[in-house]
Amino acid sequence: MSRSNSSDRCQPLQLVFRHLQVVALALSATTQLYAQTAGSSGGPDPVAIDELERLLSQPVYGESRASAASKHSQDLERAPAAVVVRTSGEIRAQGYRTLAEVLESMPGIHTHYDRAYVTGGVRGINRPGDYSSRLLILIDGTRINEALYESGPIGLEFPLDIGLIDRVEFVPGPGSALYGSSAVLGVVNVITRTPSQAHGLTVTAAVGTDANRKLSLAWGGDLAGARLLLGVASENRPGHDLYFPEFDSEDTNRGVAHDADGERATKVYAKARWTALTLTAGASERVKNIPTASYGAQFNSPNPWTDQY
């Protein structure tokens, strides 16, 4: 057991008081200097005002409403959950290309890519081979997890083009009370754009490294007394050579899979609205060439997998 006298106990208090005195003197000197500068110039610094105006003129992306927490639209401050939202403005500003990239920007979500699918986990929980079966994926409140393994598509196999998304809502934590199975780690609700948000024809083309290319078209207008939104997108990511040390032998091309990681996807989406009635339809196909010789496939040979919605 250690003991200390009263003088030892007073030393920390004296140090605190000294620091407070130093801070007070610094604030007093700063205030006097600012008053002298403003008085000599006859007013506030115009440079500081210009910087403040530029800051206030910056675009602000955000959405104060969400619908995934309670199955109806409500303010975020009233939602009974910590909802994270990414709007279409944020998606365009950050250049996200897939739903997986949008989710990875949200707190608590991480993704993993095994050359077949992109899977998502929440707060470190992501079983290998689970394929996001414990993360419920919705489009406008409609479940799109496939029926056999309940896996949720978040990569290029996601059946909606990223340009047709109005916002993405993520509700962390179990949501089975509202949504049933698959909502163990969280709920992701993708809200699509309305026909009123699309005016005329929009064409988007993109070219990336490794000859990646994408072309998308969206049209919005009036047709047969209804507001209509149509979207078509096609993306192609050619494969390239990959090296796998576990296949490094003479019989397996020294572990090099030649042009075996290609991926292409085609997506079609339509939404029509008559006053209170809304009709949506969509179709998509994604073909991925798997280079890892999964499930006994021959290494360095074509092994395409197809996902259709």
Side-chain angles (χ1 to χ4, degrees):
M1 180 181 296
S2 61
R3 296 182 180 179
S4 60
N5 53 28
S6 59
S7 62
D8 293 335
R9 291 194 297 268
C10 292
Q11 289 180 357
L13 296 177
Q14 294 176 356
L15 291 176
V16 171
F17 285 131
R18 289 178 182 174
H19 286 300
L20 290 176
Q21 291 175 355
V22 172
V23 173
L25 290 175
L27 291 176
S28 177
T30 303
T31 304
Q32 293 177 2
L33 179 61
Y34 175 77
Q36 293 174 1
T37 304
S40 61
S41 60
D45 187 2
V47 177
I49 294 179
D50 293 341
E51 292 180 355
L52 180 60
E53 289 179 350
R54 286 197 298 268
L55 178 62
L56 294 177
S57 65
Q58 293 295 321
V60 177
Y61 304 116
E63 176 62 52
S64 61
R65 302 188 65 81
S67 58
S70 302
K71 285 193 173 183
H72 66 271
S73 181
Q74 62 183 162
D75 292 335
L76 286 177
E77 61 182 10
R78 296 181 178 272
V83 185
V84 183
V85 178
R86 291 288 182 268
T87 64
S88 59
E90 291 175 305
I91 293 174
R92 289 194 303 269
Q94 300 297 329
Y96 299 133
R97 300 171 299 168
T98 62
L99 177 60
E101 294 181 358
V102 177
L103 295 179
E104 196 171 20
S105 70
M106 296 180 175
I109 298 184
H110 63 277
T111 61
H112 173 72
Y113 180 48
D114 63 355
R115 297 290 174 182
Y117 296 96
V118 181
T119 59
V122 179
R123 299 192 180 278
I125 302 176
N126 184 11
R127 291 181 55 192
D130 211 18
Y131 294 111
S132 306
S133 64
R134 288 164 175 78
L135 190 64
L136 181 61
I137 310 297
L138 309 173
I139 295 181
D140 291 331
T142 301
R143 173 195 181 96
I144 63 169
N145 290 56
E146 55 92 17
L148 185 59
Y149 299 103
E150 296 189 354
S151 61
I154 62 174
L156 201 59
E157 73 278 4
F158 181 69
L160 185 69
D161 180 48
I162 196 75
L164 298 177
I165 295 178
D166 179 58
R167 68 181 187 272
V168 178
E169 304 171 356
F170 170 60
V171 184
S176 299
L178 281 177
Y179 294 98
S181 60
S182 299
V184 178
L185 299 179
V187 178
V188 176
N189 190 20
V190 178
I191 308 299
T192 60
R193 298 173 62 188
T194 63
S196 300
Q197 293 175 304
H199 305 282
L201 178 64
T202 302
V203 180
T204 303
V207 178
T209 56
D210 297 327
N212 295 348
R213 52 194 181 272
K214 177 183 178 181
L215 178 65
S216 61
L217 297 89
W219 178 84
D222 297 325
L223 183 64
R227 290 290 300 172
L228 187 64
L229 172 64
L230 297 174
V232 180
S234 178
E235 187 167 358
N236 188 11
R237 302 178 180 180
H240 52 277
D241 295 349
L242 295 173
Y243 171 70
F244 297 92
E246 59 270 25
F247 293 102
D248 194 345
S249 66
E250 291 289 347
D251 299 331
T252 54
N253 196 31
R254 285 298 178 185
V256 177
H258 180 66
D259 291 341
D261 195 34
E263 185 176 17
R264 66 181 185 272
T266 304
K267 305 173 184 180
V268 180
Y269 180 79
K271 175 185 284 188
R273 173 169 291 179
W274 296 268
T275 61
L277 177 64
T278 301
L279 176 65
T280 60
S284 70
E285 181 182 73
R286 175 251 198 180
V287 179
K288 178 69 170 67
N289 196 8
I290 310 299
T292 56
S294 304
Y295 300 105
Q298 185 177 358
F299 183 77
N300 195 29
S301 63
N303 183 25
W305 289 9
T306 302
D307 295 277
Q308 294 178 336
Y309 283 86

